[in-house]
Amino acid sequence: MAKRDHQQTVESTGHMRVSANFGRRFALTSDDTPEHAVQARTSGKRLRPVTGDRVLAHTLEGESDWLITRILDRDNELVRPDARGRPEVLAANIERIAVVACPSPAADFFIVDRYLAAAQLMGVPAIVVWNKSELGDAPEDALAYRHIGYTLIETSAKNRSGIDTLHAALADKRSIFVGQSGVGKSSLINALCGDERQRTADISHGSDEGKHTTVAAQLIVTTSGIALIDSPGVRDYAPSIQDVAHVGDGFIEIARAAQLCKFANCRHRAEPGCAVKTGVEDGEIQQRRYTSFLRLAQLTRQLNEGRY
Ligand code: GDP
Ligand code: ZN
């Protein structure tokens, strides 16, 4: 009875946040006490909460699961097309995106660009992390992000170099780690949290379902006040972009140059008076980033026409 009273107190203090989802089950925490997780479910398939969501939930008579009744408005969503090209929300209410790449598996900067484009289009700040730096320094293509205006931090989760710098860069905001699988996202999160890691998704009375299902994304809040969401490793990633005309907005330097194009609807391909093409010729815009932009525009067109 005492436990139930405590849960109702938590409920009455306001919203809960989804800190992990395991298939149809969810871990909920309160932002004030992220170390106390409760397990929850929805009443049907209509509600599809994701990690980072704020929800309304309440306890049920004779049940240990809480019931989620409402998802509060999302500030933003990190979306990717699923295997059939339909948008799938990976996480919500994200305040910063940390894109991780490394020497091995070989960095795919087109994937880095796509995550950066997603952040840009969501209006969320992004940083680039070059991990496993003890295996090789950041190459030109990585250093180029600094010229565009991104913070690039070189780390090694293995020998802990750069971890303090990364920790400082992650202050105050809820950050999601993204990148190809195997780049060291989980290792970095472990290195950042150290002993103060609070596994907010650990649920003592968790069902077998909760224990054995892969966690799609998990929110970890440390006692030093950083909040990190790891995300499932991906082989490839593309942001979901409704209108191909918006793709250029995802590339800071291209969006900047595009303001000077002769035509407002310039596609930056062969149009006369294209400031983006001029920028590439002058070397102000990196050829690789321009190619990346063209590739994402092409992919977006295919996704939107259902040809992917
Ligand atoms: P994730 O899939 O992005 O979460 O990557 P993991 O954190 O699971 O790491 C993938 C592999 O890379 C593991 O074998 C880690 O031990 C290794 N790894 C992670 N960080 C480093 C690092 O800084 N240096 C080296 N050499 N290996 C690392
Ligand atoms: Zn143009």
Side-chain angles (χ1 to χ4, degrees), residues 14-269:
H15 322 132
M16 302 289 277
R17 192 175 292 280
V18 177
S19 54
N21 55 325
F22 326 84
R24 307 280 327 137
R25 281 205 143 66
F26 306 86
L28 303 184
T29 54
S30 138
D31 283 352
D32 300 333
T33 52
E35 67 277 16
H36 293 130
V38 295
Q39 184 162 307
R41 61 176 177 84
T42 56
S43 58
K45 291 195 173 164
R46 196 176 50 84
L47 279 186
R48 312 202 66 165
V50 297
T51 299
D53 263 329
R54 282 164 303 154
V55 296
L56 294 184
H58 59 78
T59 51
L60 291 169
E61 195 65 46
E63 239 195 82
S64 59
D65 273 9
W66 286 46
L67 184 71
I68 299 170
T69 55
R70 212 176 117 200
I71 301 172
L72 301 183
D73 285 349
R74 291 173 176 163
D75 295 335
N76 57 46
E77 306 176 319
L78 181 62
V79 176
R80 70 166 173 200
D82 68 12
R84 294 185 197 165
R86 292 173 310 194
E88 175 192 15
V89 184
L90 288 175
N93 301 322
I94 291 154
E95 297 171 314
R96 182 190 293 109
I97 296 185
V99 190
V100 186
C102 74
S104 170
D108 182 337
F109 291 103
F110 291 107
I111 295 183
V112 174
D113 288 342
R114 289 173 189 185
Y115 277 118
L116 292 176
Q120 200 63 25
L121 292 164
M122 287 163 67
V124 167
I127 64 171
V128 181
V129 180
W130 181 258
N131 188 40
K132 309 195 190 183
S133 59
E134 92 283 359
L135 297 180
D137 291 336
E140 269 310 310
D141 283 346
L143 296 173
Y145 290 116
R146 284 196 182 132
H147 300 299
I148 298 168
Y150 288 106
T151 297
L152 170 76
I153 300 175
E154 299 190 50
T155 60
S156 167
K158 190 172 179 183
N159 69 21
R160 292 196 56 86
S161 68
I163 298 298
D164 291 345
T165 310
L166 180 58
H167 193 285
L170 293 172
D172 302 330
K173 290 191 164 81
R174 197 175 308 109
S175 309
I176 188 165
F177 278 66
V178 298
Q180 292 161 267
S181 53
V183 294
K185 297 181 293 296
S186 318
S187 307
L188 282 172
I189 288 175
N190 282 332
L192 286 161
C193 297
D195 294 337
E196 42 161 38
R197 179 175 182 138
Q198 297 176 347
R199 296 189 54 100
T200 52
D202 278 356
I203 300 164
S204 50
H205 58 280
S207 69
D208 285 347
E209 186 187 345
K211 282 180 199 134
H212 299 301
T213 321
T214 324
V215 181
Q218 185 182 347
L219 170 68
I220 299 143
V221 181
T222 73
T223 44
S224 63
I226 58 173
L228 310 171
I229 302 177
D230 69 10
S231 72
V234 290
R235 266 177 294 113
D236 199 0
Y237 171 79
S240 229
I241 305 174
Q242 306 276 304
D243 183 344
V244 71
H246 296 157
V247 172
D249 294 338
F251 295 73
I252 299 182
E253 72 283 36
I254 290 177
R256 205 184 294 137
Q259 295 178 329
L260 302 174
C261 290
K262 185 172 171 191
F263 301 111
N265 62 352
C266 185
R267 293 182 305 159
H268 323 307
R269 289 155 71 131

